[in-house]
Amino acid sequence: MARNCGTAIVLWILLAGGYGYFLRDRLPMPAMPIVAIVMATFVWMGLIVINSGRYALRDWHAQNRMARGERPADGQLVAAIGPIRPTLGALHSPLRGVECVAYTYKIGPPAQTSDSPAPDYAGFAITRCAVHTSYGAMHIGTFALFEGVEKAVGDRAHAMAYVESTKFETLEGFKELATSMFAMYTAPAPMRRDWRVGGEPRVPVSSADLEESVIRVGETVTAYGRYVAATNSIVSDIKDQGYLRITPGGEARRESSFPSNAIQKFIGGTVAIVASNALLWWVMRFIPLG
């Protein structure tokens, strides 16, 4: 993930420099750098969407392999579809007390009044659990990214009791929180982290925003990740397959004949790139900027 972010930043800088070089004798100042930055941003966004279509295509292939009942090879991307259940005991979410196998939560000032993107408190946990597919159970080996999981408002009484009874690890600020989260997604299950960000909370829990997401016991999910044959588990693989992801729903035995999601993203990204360059051509041809 960190490598992908670095690559994306370098790509944007190269695009901005390239458009700046192309427009240096074609547009006057200060229009030239502004147009170069705008063009780089739109083309960069289009390329990001196209690249996400590549990952969607990989997911589609993984889903179809599972639907056909193919045993995944060691190290291969797998899409495990079925109800997820704890191997031993279940968890209970800190802000509502919901029985679950994994949760995330955050407590902090309302976004519109906050001077920082970091919450006052944040936490993550997962118990030992497995996705029970049509072809056997596959263990969840690391913490997972939640994709498409509902964010629910927490119960204030639950939240206050949890904060009062929990020993939090203190993080300095948003940068340290982000770094800790990157490491957390490769931590083996079971795992639990409770963080207080920036020292003293900015607002009391009694008036803070409360948000949590849970993967409920028995919920049907699709788990995407690298398959480890030795442990029959699915894990994160930040160098190749990406982080382990869990998304609600999925049809275990339905094979899809067309990768519609991947094609839509490819077309959408291509349209954004073509349209932005066509607009640049039109502006340079018909609108005097000198």
Side-chain angles (χ1 to χ4, degrees):
M1 181 70 75
R3 183 180 64 180
N4 290 341
C5 291
T7 302
I9 293 171
V10 171
L11 176 62
W12 184 88
I13 292 173
L14 291 174
L15 285 169
Y19 274 106
Y21 181 80
F22 173 75
L23 297 170
R24 70 191 190 285
D25 297 325
R26 292 175 171 84
L27 292 179
M29 298 292 286
M32 186 276 287
I34 295 174
V35 173
I37 289 173
V38 170
M39 285 300 303
T41 301
F42 277 102
V43 172
W44 177 80
M45 291 173 63
L47 291 172
I48 293 296
V49 173
I50 290 174
N51 189 55
S52 70
R54 180 171 68 92
Y55 285 100
L57 183 62
R58 295 199 317 173
D59 290 350
W60 176 77
H61 282 301
Q63 290 171 1
N64 280 353
R65 286 194 298 268
M66 178 60 67
R68 291 192 295 268
E70 296 180 12
R71 186 71 178 177
D74 186 50
Q76 189 176 38
L77 178 70
V78 64
I81 304 172
I84 188 168
R85 299 189 180 97
T87 305
L88 296 174
L91 301 174
H92 289 85
S93 66
L95 305 190
R96 292 181 296 157
V98 176
E99 189 177 57
C100 58
V101 297
Y103 64 74
T104 72
Y105 72 88
K106 62 181 182 179
I107 302 170
Q112 62 270 23
T113 63
S114 177
D115 58 355
S116 169
D120 289 335
Y121 302 96
F124 309 81
I126 186 169
T127 188
R128 288 191 178 92
C129 55
V131 178
H132 293 256
T133 76
S134 302
Y135 310 101
M138 293 185 180
H139 301 285
I140 299 299
T142 59
F143 194 76
L145 286 170
F146 292 4
E147 291 190 340
V149 177
E150 177 187 1
K151 295 179 180 179
V153 177
D155 175 78
R156 208 159 295 279
H158 268 95
M160 294 175 69
Y162 188 79
V163 169
E164 290 174 0
S165 62
T166 300
K167 183 178 180 180
F168 291 89
E169 176 187 353
T170 300
L171 302 180
E172 292 300 322
F174 181 74
K175 183 177 180 180
E176 190 173 350
L177 173 63
T179 302
S180 299
M181 287 178 63
F182 282 134
M184 178 198 66
Y185 286 111
T186 59
M191 183 276 294
R192 174 181 166 185
R193 300 286 188 275
D194 294 288
W195 293 321
R196 183 170 60 197
V197 185
E200 292 300 317
R202 288 162 290 173
V203 294
V205 178
S206 58
S207 58
D209 272 5
L210 311 174
E211 180 182 290
E212 76 172 11
S213 299
V214 303
I215 306 294
R216 294 175 180 267
V217 172
E219 179 179 2
T220 296
V221 301
T222 302
Y224 300 96
R226 180 171 66 89
Y227 180 68
V228 180
T231 57
N232 190 36
S233 61
I234 310 170
V235 301
S236 291
D237 177 13
I238 59 176
K239 291 184 179 180
D240 187 17
Q241 308 294 0
Y243 287 123
L244 171 62
R245 296 166 287 135
I246 294 180
T247 183
E251 297 183 48
R253 293 183 178 272
R254 180 178 178 270
E255 187 173 357
S256 172
S257 60
F258 187 73
S260 56
N261 188 32
I263 297 299
Q264 288 171 6
K265 290 182 176 181
F266 178 81
I267 293 175
T270 302
V271 168
I273 294 171
V274 172
S276 57
N277 281 280
L279 179 61
L280 174 63
W281 174 84
W282 184 82
V283 168
M284 292 177 61
R285 184 174 177 87
F286 295 106
I287 299 180
L289 298 175

